[in-house]
Amino acid sequence: MRFKTVFIAAILFGIFLSENAQAKKGSSKAISPDLFGIFFEDINYAADGGLYAELVQNRSFEYSLSDHNGWNLFTGWEYITKGYGYGTISVETGSPVNPTNPHYAVLKIEDVGQEGTGLKNSGFDGIPVKVGEKYDFSVFLRPVSDNSFPVQVKLVGKKGVVLGETSFSTDSKGWKKYSATLTVTQTDDSAGLIVLAKAKGTLAIDMVSLFPQNTFKNRPNGLRADLAQTIADLKPKFMRFPGGCLVHGDGLGNMYRWENTIGPVEQRVAQRNIWGYHQTAGLGYFEYFQFCEDIGAKPLPVVPAAVSCQNSGGTWRIGGTGQKGIQLSEMNDYIQEILDLIEYANGPVTSTFGAKRAEAGHPKPFNLEYIGIGNEDKQTPEFRERFKLIYDVLKAKHPEITIIGTVGPSPKGEDFDLGWNFATKLTVPMVDEHYYESPEWFIANQKRYDSYDRTKSKVYLGEYASRGNTLFNALAEAAFMTSLERNGDVVHLASYAPMLAKEGHTQWNPDMIYFNNTTVYRTPNYFVQQLFSVNQGDRYFSDIISTENRQDSTLAFSCVRDNKSGDVIIKLVNYSKTEKNLKIDLSAFKGIGTKATLTQLTGDANAKNSFESPSNVSPSNSELNAPKRFSYSTQPMSLTIIKIKGNK
Ligand code: AHR
């Protein structure tokens, strides 16, 4: 017994000594293990026409003028009467597949012609297909006349070559889903999908869909593989979704309501996207949760705080409505909707919403730990009243979930101050700060969090970017990110924004990843995010790195340790035009060798990547000998990561 006590005391003393040894050379502190994650918003065609792998645009004839100037129910479609067919086409709502998806096309064929009569879809700027790959086609059909319809489906290349085809006949009087797989015989970046009916009569058509089988992790109704992989390569600790302004919406009717986005896709509620296009909700809450799990990121959904965007109808529409709140008499139902979301994510399969998750193919919970309420909302009495109603119930019913409040769109100002005071009063665990500023601002504000009150709410830096995609922009962000690590005890989460942007459909610049239908390129900002993300630690150490000139303001650095692997990770940012020498003293660390990997991101300050030169700025790797004490000379305009392998 006595031996045991002495033994335990010796171990505790050993731990104390080793912590103290670490503290001797520089103190250390625990920092958030979830610090670097990602922000996904359906802006810049990030979802439909982007990450969501559906290749047919306006698949359910729901587009409208209110989505985008000049759009209508037939946008994306062409009426085909090849071979002298004759008839009419219309869009109707009388007897839809589902009332939540009200419109469908009706083909009235009077003369079939030699090739049939039907519709052609040109996708989102063309349908890209690859030779040898398989594509899943599906359509809902309902004969209105009393006859069956032979149907032919063709993928046609931009020069008119047939790249794949299939035929079948309708065999039901009511709506029925018909599916087929097409194998493509030739690569084409701009194919079209043709659906032809080959009998006289009237045929209703809806939910015309074409998906590559090769989606990310081969998930049905899945995500575009190359884009999803680019995101997965960031190895984010969390993913925020579905926005941004998209969450609180352009007017009350445009809020993102999570329940509208689950279940069979033909039952989901499509709606106008606040960024001037359309969202099918094909990429909905199930797919978001599934993607988070697939890439090892904790899900961080943001729900509206029961108020619409204060810019509603203003920035986007004439005669703005401004911020509007859900009627107080409807708040109980609205709060229940958020509780249902938590149940959908975490509830047992025996619960109502846990059962819906299981039905979608995921009986296990998604382990929701964080939830955001509101996005950049104006701090009005209406907002506060509704936020508090939601907050009080969530806090009481789900103390295990970290609730994140909102403090406006800027790093300071009225909403920021009011938001912080309100959050402090309510003791909200975390608040969501946003800022888009110049690179110089990021460099000048590296001390921002050094003086934050550690007893108040923690910070989620939910959106930030330095207004540009040059290497200098990325390095300014990198310098700032070393300060986030230094303050990782108060800043618990951070995500660059926005993440995705499609060529020709970009409403917001800069972004982290640019893509078109066939290519993806990563910006220097992407590589900075990636290098910080894959090199995170859970303990921060000060005084490990020193400069020749203590006042040098063109250098930023940090040192963290990952307790799991034992790796010690040094990050050095030199945003000057000259080489800079630094001293690194690792003598405080036990359990490391002298082998280190060296990763560098460097180049001309104005260097960028592009579709033509995707790797103009990209990291290079080599090895380095890292004795207990050594000097290291950083390249001008560089981010250097030195990872010293732990012995664990
Ligand atoms: O990231 C783009 C937009 O910027 C977000 O939707 C909004 O939250 C912020 O103003």
Side-chain angles (χ1 to χ4, degrees):
M1 181 66 181
R2 192 152 168 259
F3 171 76
K4 209 170 158 191
T5 316
V6 171
F7 182 68
I8 291 170
I11 289 180
L12 290 176
F13 188 59
I15 291 170
F16 168 77
L17 274 186
S18 101
E19 281 283 313
N20 231 22
Q22 293 180 335
K24 237 198 313 180
K25 174 70 203 138
S27 51
S28 77
K29 62 180 171 188
I31 59 170
S32 164
D34 292 341
L35 187 51
F36 298 119
I38 52 174
F39 162 91
F40 180 92
E41 176 166 26
D42 185 6
I43 183 172
N44 308 320
Y45 276 45
D48 293 293
L51 186 61
Y52 183 50
E54 172 64 83
L55 293 167
V56 174
Q57 178 163 210
N58 191 15
R59 65 183 175 192
S60 62
F61 308 96
E62 300 296 334
Y63 275 26
S64 82
L65 185 62
S66 67
D67 291 335
H68 186 91
N69 204 5
W71 281 8
N72 58 49
L73 298 160
F74 266 121
T75 294
W77 294 98
E78 203 184 312
Y79 178 43
I80 303 274
T81 52
K82 276 191 171 173
Y84 308 106
Y86 174 72
T88 56
I89 182 103
S90 58
V91 170
E92 296 184 9
T93 53
S95 190
V97 173
N98 199 283
T100 49
N101 166 21
H103 298 97
Y104 54 92
V106 177
L107 257 183
K108 198 165 179 197
I109 305 169
E110 287 178 30
D111 186 338
V112 176
Q114 284 152 16
E115 292 182 39
T117 297
L119 287 165
K120 178 178 178 187
N121 191 279
S122 316
F124 296 88
D125 304 332
I127 296 179
V129 288
K130 283 195 194 140
V131 62
E133 297 215 347
K134 291 190 161 63
Y135 294 82
D136 289 334
F137 165 84
S138 63
V139 64
F140 279 76
L141 296 174
R142 177 173 59 85
V144 180
S145 54
D146 221 5
N147 57 306
S148 153
F149 287 82
V151 176
Q152 190 183 22
V153 179
K154 293 197 268 192
L155 255 174
V156 182
K158 56 180 176 247
K159 291 189 179 146
V161 181
V162 176
L163 309 170
E165 62 184 313
T166 188
S167 314
F168 57 89
S169 284
T170 60
D171 56 7
S172 162
K173 292 211 163 187
W175 283 110
K176 181 177 166 185
K177 183 177 179 180
Y178 298 85
S179 309
T181 299
L182 306 177
T183 304
V184 164
T185 52
Q186 223 174 289
T187 296
D188 198 299
D189 61 7
S190 201
L193 178 74
I194 295 179
V195 182
L196 295 170
K198 297 193 160 184
K200 255 175 106 167
T202 307
L203 180 66
I205 305 176
D206 203 2
M207 290 301 292
V208 188
S209 172
L210 186 73
F211 260 91
Q213 279 189 357
N214 174 26
T215 56
F216 185 62
K217 304 231 179 236
N218 299 321
R219 300 253 176 241
N221 193 45
L223 306 181
R224 184 175 142 179
D226 57 346
L227 256 186
Q229 189 57 52
T230 306
I231 297 170
D233 290 346
L234 286 163
K235 301 219 167 26
K237 297 284 188 191
F238 67 89
M239 180 170 103
R240 168 181 171 174
F241 58 87
C245 290
L246 187 94
V247 169
H248 54 185
D250 187 9
L252 275 183
N254 190 240
M255 279 178 179
Y256 196 99
R257 309 293 285 262
W258 81 273
E259 279 174 337
N260 290 340
T261 74
I262 58 162
V265 284
E266 64 276 11
Q267 292 175 15
R268 299 186 189 178
V269 185
Q271 70 169 354
R272 175 165 59 86
N273 182 308
I274 194 169
W275 297 105
Y277 54 105
H278 181 91
Q279 42 188 332
T280 60
L283 171 53
Y285 258 72
F286 179 80
E287 291 75 22
Y288 282 125
F289 279 129
Q290 181 66 74
F291 184 49
C292 287
E293 185 178 87
D294 283 345
I295 63 175
K298 293 183 181 176
L300 195 169
V302 180
V303 295
V307 292
S308 63
C309 178
Q310 54 271 20
N311 299 319
S312 291
T315 315
W316 292 278
R317 315 234 146 225
I318 311 293
T321 57
Q323 185 190 73
K324 289 269 182 256
I326 286 181
Q327 291 292 321
L328 288 176
S329 57
E330 290 167 19
M331 278 305 288
N332 281 348
D333 289 348
Y334 183 67
I335 293 169
Q336 187 57 49
E337 193 175 310
I338 304 175
L339 294 172
D340 293 345
L341 168 60
I342 297 173
E343 188 175 284
Y344 185 72
N346 291 354
V349 293
T350 47
S351 63
T352 311
F353 282 87
K356 287 185 196 277
R357 183 190 68 237
E359 226 172 85
H362 201 285
K364 283 197 187 140
F366 281 119
N367 304 321
L368 183 68
E369 285 180 31
Y370 298 107
I371 191 164
I373 302 173
N375 176 70
E376 299 186 351
D377 299 296
K378 187 107 200 106
Q379 301 281 324
T380 58
E382 290 75 22
F383 160 78
R384 285 158 175 249
E385 188 172 15
R386 285 160 183 78
F387 181 94
K388 188 172 178 324
L389 286 170
I390 302 168
Y391 177 71
D392 286 346
V393 175
L394 292 200
K395 190 178 153 195
K397 296 211 171 193
H398 288 287
E400 77 286 5
I401 305 247
T402 303
I403 300 171
I404 305 173
T406 178
V407 294
S410 319
K412 58 179 188 189
E414 190 182 56
D415 286 327
F416 182 83
D417 294 339
L418 290 173
W420 261 104
N421 290 343
F422 185 49
T424 306
K425 203 168 137 209
L426 295 188
T427 62
V428 178
M430 209 182 283
V431 297
D432 180 16
E433 294 192 355
H434 292 180
Y435 33 87
Y436 298 92
E437 299 287 341
S438 67
E440 292 75 19
W441 184 94
F442 279 90
I443 285 168
N445 281 275
Q446 289 176 61
K447 295 208 166 107
R448 178 180 176 90
Y449 296 109
D450 292 354
S451 55
Y452 262 46
D453 185 339
R454 267 53 189 168
T455 63
K456 288 189 178 175
S457 311
K458 301 299 174 199
V459 175
Y460 167 31
L461 174 50
E463 296 183 24
Y464 69 100
S466 74
R467 293 202 186 126
N469 288 125
T470 67
L471 177 64
F472 180 61
N473 287 99
L475 293 180
E477 288 153 10
F480 195 77
M481 288 166 83
T482 63
S483 83
L484 299 182
E485 287 188 320
R486 182 171 70 245
N487 288 288
D489 55 330
V490 65
V491 182
H492 275 205
L493 311 165
S495 47
Y496 179 97
M499 184 163 60
L500 297 179
K502 186 168 193 178
E503 190 182 28
H505 300 282
T506 299
Q507 293 90 36
W508 184 289
N509 264 310
D511 304 280
M512 203 209 295
I513 299 164
Y514 287 83
F515 65 96
N516 55 31
N517 276 348
T518 52
T519 315
V520 180
Y521 83 83
R522 304 165 185 212
T523 59
N525 319 66
Y526 171 97
F527 288 117
V528 163
Q529 291 297 320
Q530 186 185 41
L531 290 174
F532 274 74
S533 186
V534 301
N535 288 298
Q536 298 194 50
D538 43 23
R539 206 158 183 92
Y540 179 85
F541 292 81
S542 42
D543 298 334
I544 303 296
I545 307 152
S546 52
T547 53
E548 279 169 354
N549 168 7
R550 275 189 162 265
Q551 303 308 318
D552 197 333
S553 59
T554 58
L555 284 170
F557 41 78
S558 65
C559 174
V560 295
R561 187 164 205 182
D562 173 30
N563 266 325
K564 251 195 221 140
S565 61
D567 294 350
V568 172
I569 305 152
I570 308 268
K571 302 186 182 80
L572 310 171
V573 189
N574 176 356
Y575 42 94
S576 79
K577 291 189 177 140
T578 53
E579 224 173 86
K580 291 281 163 83
N581 213 39
L582 288 148
K583 289 203 173 93
I584 295 160
D585 185 344
L586 301 172
S587 57
F589 295 107
K590 309 266 175 262
I592 51 168
T594 53
K595 271 199 178 157
T597 56
L598 179 78
T599 309
Q600 263 187 315
L601 186 71
T602 184
D604 188 77
N606 292 319
K608 283 182 173 189
N609 291 337
S610 62
F611 286 107
E612 295 71 36
S613 305
S615 308
N616 197 24
V617 182
S618 56
S620 63
N621 296 307
S622 55
E623 286 186 353
L624 182 82
N625 188 37
K628 285 283 169 208
R629 291 182 184 82
F630 66 101
S631 291
Y632 183 80
S633 190
T634 56
Q635 297 285 303
M637 290 294 153
S638 65
L639 163 64
T640 306
I641 314 270
I642 301 172
K643 186 186 242 171
I644 304 108
K645 286 290 314 145
N647 292 338
K648 285 191 183 168

